Amino acid sequence: MDHVDPRRLIPRTNDLLALAPVREAGSRLNERVIRELVRDVQEQARRGELPPREVEPALLEAIAARTATTLRPVLNATGVIVHTNLGRAPLSEGAVQAVVAASGYVDVEMDLSDGSRSRRGAGARAALLAACPAAEDALVVNNGAAALVLATTALAAGREVVVSRGELVEIGAGFRLTDLMESTGARLREVGTTNRTHLHDYAGALGPDTGCVLKVHPSNFRVDGFTSAVPLDELSRLTNANGVPLVADLGSGLLAPDPFLPDEPDVASALASGADVVIASGDKLLGGPQAGLLLGRKDVITRLARHPLARAVRADKLALAALEATVAGGPPPVVQALHTDVGQLRRRTDRLAQELGVPVVPHDGRVGGGGAPGVPLPGWALQLPEGLARALRTGDPAVLPRVHDGSCLIDLRCVPERDDARIAGAVRRALASLEVADAGRAG
């Protein structure tokens, strides 16, 4: 009897493409992606890793699992609320619905009553001004760095930006505010020292070549000890007397004071203290989409909005929709996590610990994203073996724990209560995989 090469039994490409589930997948995946999945399973069979009879079921499984994006949803069990590596703020249900609604044609730049062109993002602007009455006007761009670049360019390109040496910070991924501002053509005029800057330092630097004075909140670090800085209200009296715009970059995005974070600056207070423009991020403590917010005096905001660079850094319709829904809606997930009921958090943690048979340990969460550095958020965490971390990260659902002092910690602060059962299932599967691996090594 002649031997048949198993590779001859591998289903042909056209036959696999003709399968009903594969054809139906064409509504969410393009032809190139589908053909790549077909080739992948066929190659596995050619290498002998997959019997020919299993090619079809393997393809259908791969098609069902493949989405149009490679981004994976993650359950954030680190206790860090604004986690930059996880996309910072998760959107509220209202913001998600607004994004879906804005995914089609919307009146982002049109007045439907008369069919004329209108100001872009009027709804988001109105929501911001209603939430922060101290602002005369507002402008939304695509992120906080863009807001700073726009302000620096419009106010000080080819001129000087006066800034304290103690506020020349480096933000995420190695980007430095100094580099951002110098890229606009502005010249930095550094005043004071790393730990102490006085009003007379600013006064001595002001002159006909001054474009603006910049006050930066050092959100991701603290300098303690022999320090001094000039408060905004004192600095504003100086800048007003000299006709120089005062820009305050707050970073974290609080529109109003929060009693949970008494030392965190907010937009309303900065404007009340005399800042002409305040810059904040939309996807940090505000709890919305990635966006850069500029709020302040109407004449200055108008000047920024009319600068050609404003077009290059403008926010898209999805961000504008999500931002409006965040500001006008109920507390977003970031605010809920910050103000979580610690008693309920403990009860949830104890319940899961009992189900899983693991200990509970005290664990301080963090704001993250450069907000409230060094401020602990007391809570608790499930304590698991450190070896479970990778299995949790790569499982389904993906769970990101915190690895600390030889333990894998699961903090539920940022996990919606409806997902507690998913966390428990993920931990059980990770524990089972660890037991299998240990048995294999023992054998």
Side-chain angles (χ1 to χ4, degrees):
M1 185 175 180
D2 294 336
H3 175 72
V4 178
D5 188 341
R7 289 174 295 182
R8 290 179 174 271
L9 303 178
I10 298 173
R12 295 179 179 276
T13 299
N14 287 342
D15 294 336
L16 293 171
L17 292 174
L19 295 171
V22 177
R23 293 199 312 272
E24 292 168 3
S27 63
R28 58 185 178 84
L29 301 173
N30 66 31
E31 184 180 358
R32 176 186 57 80
V33 172
I34 292 174
R35 285 184 175 273
E36 286 177 355
L37 293 173
V38 169
R39 283 195 295 271
D40 285 345
V41 294
Q42 289 175 327
E43 285 300 320
Q44 291 179 48
R46 292 187 183 104
R47 293 193 300 267
E49 300 169 2
L50 191 68
R53 67 179 179 276
E54 294 184 13
V55 167
E56 181 176 321
L59 173 62
L60 298 184
E61 183 179 348
I63 287 283
R66 183 67 159 86
T67 61
T69 175
T70 57
L71 293 175
R72 290 188 61 193
V74 176
L75 293 177
N76 176 12
T78 63
V80 179
I81 299 175
V82 182
H83 201 302
T84 297
N85 302 125
L86 296 181
R88 290 186 177 166
L91 295 181
S92 66
E93 291 297 327
V96 171
Q97 293 171 13
V99 168
V100 172
S103 62
Y105 293 118
V106 289
D107 58 342
V108 66
E109 213 168 299
M110 173 172 278
D111 185 340
L112 294 177
S113 64
D114 60 12
S116 63
R117 186 169 187 167
S118 66
R119 181 171 179 175
R120 184 180 183 86
R125 171 180 171 273
L128 285 169
L129 295 180
C132 187
E136 296 177 3
D137 205 352
L139 179 63
V140 182
V141 296
N142 60 15
N143 66 15
L148 178 60
V149 168
L150 175 60
T152 305
T153 303
L155 300 176
R159 303 177 70 192
E160 291 183 344
V161 176
V162 177
V163 60
S164 169
R165 287 188 174 89
E167 298 172 4
L168 297 177
V169 302
E170 179 177 300
I171 57 179
F175 290 101
R176 296 177 175 177
L177 296 189
T178 51
D179 296 337
L180 286 174
M181 289 184 287
E182 288 175 341
S183 72
T184 70
R187 301 188 304 277
L188 297 187
R189 179 71 180 271
E190 301 174 20
V191 298
T193 63
T194 302
N195 61 318
R196 291 176 69 81
T197 300
H198 306 281
L199 187 62
H200 64 76
D201 293 317
Y202 289 101
L206 298 184
D209 208 25
T210 303
C212 67
V213 172
L214 176 65
K215 181 78 173 165
V216 180
H217 173 56
S219 57
N220 56 2
F221 71 95
R222 281 184 172 179
V223 177
D224 296 318
F226 189 58
T227 64
S228 67
V230 181
L232 270 175
D233 55 351
E234 292 184 23
L235 193 53
S236 69
R237 287 193 288 272
L238 174 67
T239 56
N240 285 338
N242 287 270
V244 175
L246 173 59
V247 179
D249 187 344
L250 304 189
S252 64
L254 280 181
L255 294 183
D258 189 318
F260 270 59
L261 304 172
D263 297 325
E264 191 71 12
D266 65 277
V267 176
S269 298
L271 290 172
S273 295
D276 297 303
V277 178
V278 179
I279 295 171
S281 293
D283 57 349
K284 294 183 180 179
L285 286 173
L286 185 63
Q290 176 178 297
L293 314 180
L294 299 111
L295 300 100
R297 276 176 34 199
K298 188 172 185 60
D299 61 325
V300 181
I301 296 296
T302 298
R303 182 176 172 185
L304 302 185
R306 289 177 176 171
H307 192 279
L309 184 61
R311 171 80 180 197
V313 298
R314 72 180 187 178
D316 78 317
K317 62 179 181 178
L318 302 182
L320 290 170
L323 178 63
E324 180 182 357
T326 299
V327 176
V334 161
V335 175
Q336 293 178 33
L338 179 62
H339 295 264
T340 191
D341 182 329
V342 292
Q344 176 63 7
L345 181 61
R346 179 63 192 262
R347 287 189 291 272
R348 289 173 59 198
T349 307
D350 286 343
R351 184 168 61 245
L352 278 188
Q354 187 173 4
E355 288 181 21
L356 297 168
V358 298
V360 172
V361 295
H363 183 252
D364 289 340
R366 289 290 187 272
V367 170
V375 176
L377 303 175
W380 297 269
L382 304 175
Q383 185 179 41
L384 305 169
E386 183 178 6
L388 261 63
R390 187 178 188 281
L392 287 168
R393 291 194 306 268
T394 58
D396 185 16
V399 177
L400 183 65
R402 182 188 181 205
V403 177
H404 181 68
D405 284 344
S407 295
C408 174
L409 303 175
I410 299 289
D411 188 322
L412 300 177
R413 176 180 293 274
C414 305
V415 178
E417 189 168 357
R418 64 179 180 273
D419 286 324
D420 284 0
R422 299 178 71 205
I423 289 282
V427 171
R428 289 191 185 98
R429 288 188 290 274
L431 285 168
S433 67
L434 185 62
E435 290 173 1
V436 170
D438 289 343
R441 285 192 291 269

